[in-house]
Amino acid sequence: MNGTVETAEQVEAEAAAGDLPKVAELRLPGWYFAFEGTVAGIFDLLRAFPSAWPAVVVLVAANIAVSLTVMRGRLRLAKLLWRGKGTRTIMLTLVGIRIGAHLLLAAIGLAAGSATTHVLFALAMSALSVGLMLHTQRTSLAALVASGKATA
């Protein structure tokens, strides 16, 4: 009888595991990070190219549309990421880095005034954002697997 109970528990565990999302299904695709990286650099891109604001509006609209359609199945992970303390920490860190870097450059007389400097800032902020978002995704997915809310 004990063997039957273990088998029933195993069957239930396997059935439950089948209902759990796989990490591969939750992982956000690379092009999504390109969208978000571009959004992270928008402030400096607009400072370098003020007439590009219509492209920014289109990019933001496309980002929202993609998030609500193509990425619909992955919104569970996105919600978990946005609720997470790590994501808020990343956002505040990026804002602090941007403000701190601009203040530091202004203090030493190298204020970011040229288009080239703003483009370099945009690239740096985009790369930093994407790197931090990838790290957050990796740790969040590992936490979901560890908590039994997803399967590897």
Side-chain angles (χ1 to χ4, degrees):
M1 179 144 198
N2 192 11
T4 306
V5 172
E6 290 176 1
T7 305
E9 290 173 359
Q10 289 173 349
V11 170
E12 288 178 19
E14 290 174 4
D19 293 341
L20 294 175
K22 294 187 184 311
V23 168
E25 296 169 356
L26 294 174
R27 185 171 283 122
L28 300 171
W31 54 264
Y32 184 76
F33 291 109
F35 262 140
E36 298 303 323
T38 304
V39 170
I42 279 181
F43 172 79
D44 285 300
L45 288 175
L46 285 176
R47 299 284 290 189
F49 309 106
S51 61
W53 67 267
V56 171
V57 171
V58 169
L59 178 69
V60 169
N63 191 1
I64 291 169
V66 165
S67 295
L68 295 176
T69 56
V70 177
M71 301 295 289
R72 187 110 182 126
R74 293 181 169 114
L75 284 179
R76 178 178 176 190
L77 176 63
K79 287 177 186 176
L80 288 171
L81 290 176
W82 279 111
R83 287 183 191 155
K85 180 181 170 186
T87 305
R88 289 189 299 271
T89 302
I90 287 173
M91 182 186 67
L92 293 174
T93 300
L94 290 171
V95 170
I97 288 171
R98 178 183 306 279
I99 292 170
H102 282 288
L103 288 175
L104 179 66
L105 287 173
I108 61 174
L110 298 172
S114 71
T116 304
T117 308
H118 282 294
V119 169
L120 290 174
F121 257 102
L123 290 172
M125 293 306 293
S126 295
L128 187 58
S129 296
V130 169
L132 289 171
M133 287 170 34
L134 285 169
H135 172 71
T136 301
Q137 175 181 254
R138 187 173 44 250
T139 55
S140 297
L141 290 173
L144 286 174
V145 170
S147 69
K149 295 181 181 177
T151 60

